[in-house]
Amino acid sequence: MTELATTPTTATHPLDPLSADEITAAMAVLRDGRELPPRLRITSIALEEPAKSIVRAFRSGDPIERVARIVCYDRDTRTTAVALVSITNGAVTSWEEIAGVQPHLMLEEFFMLEDILKADERYVAALATRGVTDLDKVQADPWPAGNFGSDGEWQGRRVCRAVSYVRDRPDDNGYAHPIENFVAIVDFDAGEVLELIEGDIVPVPEPHGRYDVEAATEGGGSLRTPAPLDITQPDGPGFTLDGQLLTWERWSMRVSVAPIEGLVLHQITWHDDDGPRPILYRAALGDMVVPYGSTATNHWWKNAFDAGEIGLGQLLNSLELGCDCLGEIRYLDSVSVDQEGQPFAQQNTVCIHEEDFGMLWKHWDFASDSTEVRRSRRLVVSSIATVGNYEYAFYWHFYLDGNIELLIKMTGIVQTQALADGEEPVGATRIGPNLAAPHHQHMFCVRLDVDVDGGPNTVSELDVVPVEGDHPHAFDTVTTTLTTEQQAQRISDAGASRTWLIENHGKLNAHGQPVAYRLMPGYSPTMLAQPGAAIRERATFATQNLWVTPFDPDERHPAGDFPARHPGGDGLPRWTAADRSIEDTDIVVWHTFGATHIVRPEDYPVMPVEMLGFMLKPNGFFDRNPALDLAPSPKHCD
Ligand code: NI
């Protein structure tokens, strides 16, 4: 055994993410405790979170056991394993090989792909028949291969589907020049091309799609420069950051980053004068999927789980002051690992700042000609991931009146399809002379481990319906308690103004109502793929806007821990088949929402942000407006 004279832990809280030193120590313990095969790859290393009871009982200075969860993949045996390593005790506490699954795409595979393709004579010859002879100009993107039940020829293999583009110059936008009807199946373990799938040759579109300053001023145009707008906080930010603990106004939470989920918030709490009131134990993206509606050779199979299959949390941007966030900013760094398990720092992956948000509440009293108005402010905790062609930016907002919001901004570059002269796009929008962009959806599933006023919690559905009788104008609410997992699979209904209450039946407010938070879904579709589509089985979470499960620490990802190449059925559909009780217990609320992206010409060559999300609003959590105690703004309004 490796003797760890002193634990490398500098963690001051059980939920602190693993440091680089802890990751190095965990790998040393793993290497010492097991004979590791020569082609073992490490796909992620993250904190194995302690039980809630341990976290809740923790007091500053208590001893902390630190456990790393290491996901491994052996390229020789095509085996996936999860190791739990106690860094504190210097021991491998478990090693579980999981049959028939694969970890997410690895960073090294992004980089391997072009080498494998360009070394393949068939690939090079096929490019030549399409008029592409300069391999230095070829860009290849790896896509999760999916699983359509008919690909027995690749069963069990770690394959991707690669689509190719031409870059006219190193800083070109390759998506302007797609090589259509041309998909390569690549086996990363064997390092070889298994198959080329080819259709009709379509000339590669020529107009460039660059979007830099040079492109914007092409032909003598000038740049718009809006008037300077500086956001200053002369006394510094209003929040404090103590390690991972963030406190602001009446809010506190712990902020970290995880390899699959990206931004993770723990122990989101509102602090009344009487003490802390928990709202969420943990909030994070569970997974997401981007199914395409096209039937074309290059597109019909595109169904990326950008978190579970690609590892969104390891693809975070290093954010830049004044560009990604504006104002008095504080950043958090995070740590990722390479495929040897070596840690490397990702700087400035989380941005924390405050934003003025206009008016919070106001009234002008006619009789006395007096006005009371208070301004709104929100705390923003944000992170941006670049997953291939797209950027996904996650903004958690916390408001002075107890509202919580997740806003997701999507930007980047849409998938593109080359059109032959005279060809009309099908399942796609024309965005250029010979260029189209296929229709698709972005479906996000957020896992909300709720803890409203300390729990236990119950979810009720609140619909608004017309009242039959003598008053045709009348409407009223109908509340339905969701008592089991099957009953709690629900879709949004704007016609019924449907929302969901997350109630604590053990805590009543001054009006005798259970204290609650209300989940306010945004305008959102469910998955459009029809029954019989493989993706419905693989991403069943996207067929409902709401799921509720009893808390289980192993139920973290709505399509299962390993959706890559998975045939389907894992995650929410498997767990909820038991139809467990979800009444007055520790529950997890899973909210799926998304956007159906019928691409606009304005989304090209780079897409202005598309926004979506949801809110959690206090609903009888307080006895009245909790923001009466805000001081009027000092300069003009008192
Ligand atoms: Ni899109």
Side-chain angles (χ1 to χ4, degrees):
M1 292 294 290
T2 302
E3 288 298 322
L4 293 172
T6 56
T7 174
T9 288
T10 54
T12 58
H13 188 275
L15 293 174
D16 283 349
L18 296 180
S19 67
D21 286 348
E22 287 179 310
I23 287 171
T24 301
M27 280 304 298
V29 172
L30 181 63
R31 286 201 181 90
D32 204 52
R34 289 192 67 87
E35 183 81 17
L36 298 184
R39 292 218 300 158
L40 189 82
R41 316 307 290 143
I42 305 300
T43 65
S44 65
I45 303 181
L47 175 74
E48 175 74 357
E49 294 180 17
K52 287 183 184 181
S53 56
I54 292 173
V55 173
R56 287 182 174 134
F58 177 79
R59 295 293 172 266
S60 182
D62 287 353
I64 305 172
E65 186 186 358
R66 300 287 280 169
V67 178
R69 178 185 161 90
I70 304 179
V71 181
C72 314
Y73 179 73
D74 181 357
R75 287 205 187 279
D76 286 326
T77 61
R78 298 193 166 109
T79 308
T80 300
V82 176
L84 295 180
V85 172
S86 170
I87 301 164
T88 313
N89 299 327
V92 179
T93 53
S94 91
W95 172 273
E96 185 190 3
E97 294 182 359
I98 304 168
V101 304
Q102 293 187 10
H104 61 74
L105 196 67
M106 304 176 212
L107 264 183
E108 71 172 13
E109 291 169 340
F110 280 94
F111 297 113
M112 287 163 65
L113 179 66
E114 287 186 18
D115 291 339
I116 295 170
L117 287 171
K118 292 174 185 178
D120 186 90
E121 289 176 6
R122 294 163 300 170
Y123 179 80
V124 173
L127 284 180
T129 65
R130 291 162 185 272
V132 179
T133 52
D134 186 348
L135 290 183
D136 289 340
K137 291 184 173 177
V138 174
Q139 164 193 339
D141 286 8
W143 277 77
N147 189 326
F148 296 90
S150 59
D151 52 355
E153 62 274 31
W154 315 322
Q155 209 60 44
R157 287 177 174 253
R158 187 166 174 80
V159 295
C160 79
R161 297 178 199 251
V163 284
S164 304
Y165 303 88
V166 177
R167 296 172 84 94
D168 283 340
R169 55 190 227 191
D171 63 349
D172 197 17
N173 173 2
Y175 300 105
H177 315 295
I179 302 174
E180 202 60 39
N181 294 332
F182 184 55
V183 180
I185 310 299
V186 173
D187 180 330
F188 285 120
D189 296 329
E192 64 182 17
V193 178
L194 297 182
E195 191 177 339
L196 293 179
I197 297 169
E198 296 189 74
D200 293 343
I201 292 177
V202 181
V204 176
E206 290 182 359
H208 80 74
R210 293 191 302 274
Y211 44 85
D212 54 13
V213 167
E214 179 193 325
T217 52
E218 220 172 39
S222 58
L223 294 175
R224 281 186 284 169
T225 310
L229 176 63
D230 291 326
I231 297 169
T232 58
Q233 290 187 284
D235 301 333
F239 57 84
T240 59
L241 198 52
D242 176 12
Q244 314 294 129
L245 176 64
L246 173 62
T247 55
W248 176 74
E249 291 293 322
R250 291 189 180 274
W251 290 105
S252 70
M253 66 202 72
R254 307 195 73 88
V255 183
S256 60
V257 161
I260 304 298
E261 301 149 298
L263 200 50
V264 179
L265 302 181
H266 279 99
Q267 297 187 302
I268 297 170
T269 303
W270 176 275
H271 296 262
D272 271 347
D273 291 337
D274 296 335
R277 300 181 70 189
I279 298 166
L280 287 146
Y281 180 79
R282 191 180 193 279
L285 178 71
D287 211 328
M288 58 175 291
V289 67
V290 187
Y292 280 70
S294 171
T295 57
T297 302
N298 273 26
H299 310 284
W300 68 265
W301 44 266
K302 286 178 178 169
N303 286 312
F305 295 70
D306 286 305
E309 284 188 313
I310 306 188
L312 178 143
Q314 294 179 81
L315 302 171
L316 301 182
N317 297 177
S318 285
L319 302 171
E320 291 187 34
L321 183 61
C323 305
D324 296 299
C325 311
L326 195 60
E328 194 66 39
I329 305 294
R330 296 293 179 269
Y331 294 105
L332 286 173
D333 300 335
S334 51
V335 180
S336 193
V337 295
D338 66 14
Q339 268 65 78
E340 305 290 334
Q342 294 274 357
F344 61 91
Q346 297 174 297
Q347 290 183 329
N348 294 359
T349 48
V350 179
C351 170
I352 301 166
H353 73 289
E354 288 168 84
E355 287 179 356
D356 180 278
F357 198 61
M359 180 172 62
L360 179 60
W361 58 260
K362 176 173 186 172
H363 186 59
W364 169 58
D365 184 74
F366 173 78
S368 64
D369 189 23
S370 60
T371 299
E372 292 286 341
V373 58
R374 301 293 183 272
R375 288 197 71 74
S376 180
R377 182 84 65 91
R378 64 189 185 187
L379 176 69
V380 186
V381 183
S382 67
S383 185
I384 306 175
T386 300
V387 187
N389 53 306
Y390 253 81
E391 267 74 15
Y392 294 107
F394 296 83
Y395 299 83
W396 285 95
H397 293 151
F398 299 88
Y399 293 86
L400 296 167
D401 61 352
N403 283 355
I404 301 170
E405 178 179 46
L406 174 61
L407 179 70
I408 298 176
K409 295 183 181 178
M410 305 190 292
T411 179
I413 303 175
V414 293
Q415 285 292 297
T416 49
Q417 175 178 2
L419 300 174
D421 287 340
E423 179 184 353
E424 282 305 312
V426 176
T429 305
R430 179 184 294 280
I431 56 172
N434 293 90
L435 199 66
H439 308 330
H440 57 277
Q441 296 188 290
H442 302 261
M443 303 300 298
F444 300 85
C445 183
V446 171
R447 180 181 181 275
L448 301 168
D449 182 351
V450 296
D451 191 23
V452 175
D453 230 358
N457 293 149
T458 302
V459 176
S460 293
E461 182 167 275
L462 184 68
D463 280 357
V464 184
V465 297
V467 175
E468 292 181 20
D470 297 337
H471 293 280
H473 63 274
F475 54 86
D476 204 349
T477 56
V478 173
T479 305
T480 308
T481 301
L482 306 177
T483 59
T484 71
E485 290 177 298
Q486 297 277 332
Q487 191 196 357
Q489 295 170 17
R490 307 297 298 162
I491 59 170
S492 299
D493 184 351
S497 302
R498 177 170 294 165
T499 55
W500 293 289
L501 295 173
I502 304 159
E503 300 168 326
N504 184 329
H505 290 161
K507 303 266 175 70
L508 303 183
N509 62 24
H511 318 297
Q513 304 149 339
V515 300
Y517 257 71
R518 196 199 289 200
L519 171 58
M520 317 283 294
Y523 167 76
S524 175
T526 51
M527 183 186 281
L528 287 164
Q530 302 163 63
I535 192 58
R536 273 187 93 86
E537 304 303 317
R538 301 183 62 228
T540 307
F541 68 82
T543 63
Q544 307 284 344
N545 295 114
L546 184 83
W547 304 72
V548 184
T549 55
F551 171 77
D552 180 329
D554 295 331
E555 296 177 1
R556 184 67 70 75
H557 303 292
D561 287 351
F562 298 104
R565 304 278 285 134
H566 198 283
D570 201 3
L572 282 169
R574 180 167 67 82
W575 307 325
T576 60
D579 203 21
R580 296 167 293 186
S581 169
I582 50 169
E583 200 170 8
D584 293 325
T585 188
D586 186 5
I587 55 171
V588 175
V589 174
W590 308 76
H591 180 37
T592 299
F593 57 94
T596 301
H597 193 183
I598 306 302
V599 177
R600 307 169 301 148
E602 291 88 344
D603 291 335
Y604 185 79
V606 64
M607 175 180 156
V609 295
E610 187 78 28
M611 290 182 272
L612 69 167
F614 67 94
M615 288 194 90
L616 287 166
K617 290 184 156 196
N619 192 102
F621 189 80
F622 306 110
D623 296 333
R624 59 178 189 168
N625 181 348
L628 292 181
D629 58 353
L630 277 178
S633 300
K635 282 183 182 165
H636 309 291
C637 311
D638 50 2

